[in-house]
């Protein structure tokens, strides 16, 4: 028999049965090991999850809130009752839902302490101004806005806050930000709260005039105020507002016009000049 024939016979014999059996047994062993690993991991995961269950609600769950958002609202929203499994609660999604649903909340900080404890810290919005309707309507709406301009409902000790009257209905709903002249009025109130303007105490801001704001002071004097880039929340706008307030308060502090009830700080006459005069008749303001 030639060498070529011998080679053909070797190929025809194929892989020896012992090798095939060893391969089958090896693959079977790997499958068993893999299945065992999966089942073991699941068992360990199940054991770990059980460790994440809330045992004593009063001890394992710490919730800090402010004046308006009740602890029970947070507890029920996240499902943090006895027996709840912290590993199965979608904290991130529920946090976003609560921020959207309750405008009074500015931020929520959640801290997990493994295995079965959680701390939730609620930061509520602090009202800076009351938000009312135009003068022809009742200004008592229960709506307020914080320093960011977000409107929300707040009912505790707000009577002394400056009132910003929106130019027209529909009113800004809770959860939305003030815009236009109402937002400019909020920036005016924030600027006037600086220590250097402590004598400029705002009682109310009318926003119905398109080109200026009409301010009623605590002594019931009035002031028309406008500044460059008034409708923009920018550095240039803030600097212009600061200059205008400085000119106005300096003019008021001279007491050169003791019978003045209307101050004009709009730069409509000459830039930087403050005008003083009697309160104009209704309809000419």
């Amino acid at each position: 028999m030639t060498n070529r024939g011998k080679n053909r016979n070797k190929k025809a014999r194929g892989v020896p049965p012992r090798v095939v059996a060893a391969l089958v047994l090896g693959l079977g062993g790997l499958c068993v090991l893999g299945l065992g690993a999966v089942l073991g991991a699941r068992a360990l995961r199940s054991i770990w999850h059980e460790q994440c269950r809330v045992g004593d609600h009063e001890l394992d769950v710490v919730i800090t809130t402010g004046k308006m958002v009740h602890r029970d609202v947070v507890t029920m929203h996240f499902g943090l009752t006895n027996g709840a499994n912290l590993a199965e609660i979608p904290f991130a999604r529920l946090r976003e839902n609560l921020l959207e649903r309750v405008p009074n909340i500015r931020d929520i900080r959640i801290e997990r302490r493994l295995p079965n404890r959680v701390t939730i810290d609620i930061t509520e919005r602090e009202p800076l101004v009351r938000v009312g309707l135009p003068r022809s309507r009742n200004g008592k709406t229960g709506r307020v806005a914080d320093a960011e301009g977000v409107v929300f409902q707040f009912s505790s000790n707000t009577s002394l806050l400056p009132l910003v009257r929106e130019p027209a209905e529909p009113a800004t709903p809770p959860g939305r930000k003030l815009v236009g002249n109402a937002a400019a009025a909020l920036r005016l109130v924030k600027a006037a709260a600086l220590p250097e303007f402590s004598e400029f105490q705002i009682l109310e801001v009318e926003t119905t005039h398109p080109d200026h704001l009409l301010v009623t002071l605590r002594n019931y004097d009035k002031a028309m105020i406008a500044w460059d880039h008034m409708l923009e929340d920018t550095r240039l706008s803030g600097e212009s507002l600061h200059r205008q307030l400085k000119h106005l308060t300096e003019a008021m502090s001279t007491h050169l016009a003791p019978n003045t009830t209307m101050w004009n700080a709009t730069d409509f006459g000459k830039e930087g000049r403050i005008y003083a005069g009697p309160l104009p008749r209704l309809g000419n303001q």
Side-chain angles (χ1 to χ4, degrees):
M1 183 179 294
T2 64
N3 290 334
R4 183 178 297 177
K6 292 179 180 179
N7 290 336
R8 281 200 300 266
N9 288 338
K10 288 180 179 179
K11 292 179 181 179
R13 293 192 191 107
V15 181
R18 287 174 298 183
V19 176
V20 174
L23 289 174
V24 171
L25 289 174
L27 290 174
L30 288 175
C31 290
V32 171
L33 288 175
L35 180 60
V38 171
L39 293 175
R42 288 180 178 177
L44 289 175
R45 183 180 179 185
S46 177
I47 293 172
W48 171 249
H49 273 209
E50 285 304 311
Q51 300 300 312
C52 295
R53 290 193 181 278
V54 175
D56 185 342
H57 173 265
E58 296 298 327
L59 176 65
D60 297 338
V61 179
V62 178
I63 299 175
T64 304
T65 61
K67 298 177 182 178
M68 300 299 292
V69 180
H70 199 274
R71 171 191 167 96
D72 290 346
V73 172
V74 183
T75 299
M76 298 309 297
H77 181 79
F78 286 95
L80 296 171
T81 55
N82 285 346
N85 195 321
L86 300 186
E88 298 175 354
I89 296 175
F91 283 101
R93 177 172 60 81
L94 292 175
R95 174 184 179 275
E96 295 302 317
N97 290 346
L98 190 58
L99 284 170
E100 183 177 350
R101 199 182 81 184
V102 185
N104 295 60
I105 300 176
R106 185 171 64 84
D107 192 22
I108 303 174
R109 187 175 61 86
I110 301 173
E111 181 182 353
R112 285 282 311 277
R113 291 176 294 164
L114 299 177
N116 65 333
R117 293 189 177 184
V118 62
T119 298
I120 299 180
D121 187 17
I122 304 292
T123 302
E124 295 186 20
R125 298 187 182 278
E126 291 292 334
L128 181 65
V129 297
R130 291 175 293 142
V131 181
L133 301 170
R135 183 168 289 279
S136 60
R137 299 289 302 276
N138 188 352
K140 297 180 180 180
T141 64
R143 291 180 302 134
V144 296
D146 68 350
E148 296 177 351
V150 177
V151 175
F152 57 102
Q153 297 290 138
F154 198 89
S155 58
S156 178
N157 300 324
T158 62
S159 59
L160 297 181
L161 295 178
L163 172 63
V164 172
R165 291 188 181 273
E166 294 193 271
E169 296 189 69
T172 303
R176 298 291 186 87
K177 283 189 173 184
L178 297 174
V179 297
N181 275 10
L186 178 67
R187 291 192 288 273
L188 170 62
V189 170
K190 288 194 290 185
L194 295 173
E196 62 185 300
F197 303 128
S198 58
E199 297 300 319
F200 192 78
Q201 299 184 11
I202 297 176
L203 181 66
E204 182 178 306
V205 185
E206 290 273 2
T207 64
T208 55
H209 301 272
D211 52 5
H212 69 269
L213 303 176
L214 180 60
V215 179
T216 302
L217 302 177
R218 294 284 177 183
N219 63 358
Y220 295 101
D221 278 1
K222 293 185 181 292
M224 293 188 296
I225 303 178
W227 61 93
D228 293 335
H229 310 285
M230 188 173 77
L231 297 183
E232 302 172 8
D233 187 9
T234 62
R235 179 180 59 83
L236 289 175
S237 175
E239 291 174 350
S240 177
L241 170 58
H242 188 273
R243 286 194 301 270
Q244 202 72 316
L245 275 177
K246 188 174 182 180
H247 293 155
L248 176 57
T249 53
E250 287 175 350
M252 295 173 67
S253 66
T254 63
H255 302 292
L256 295 178
N259 297 322
T260 296
T261 54
M262 173 63 78
W263 297 89
N264 188 330
T266 60
D267 286 345
F268 294 159
K270 185 177 180 181
E271 184 176 352
R273 178 169 292 182
I274 305 300
Y275 298 88
L279 186 66
R281 293 180 180 177
L282 188 64
N284 294 326
Q285 297 181 4

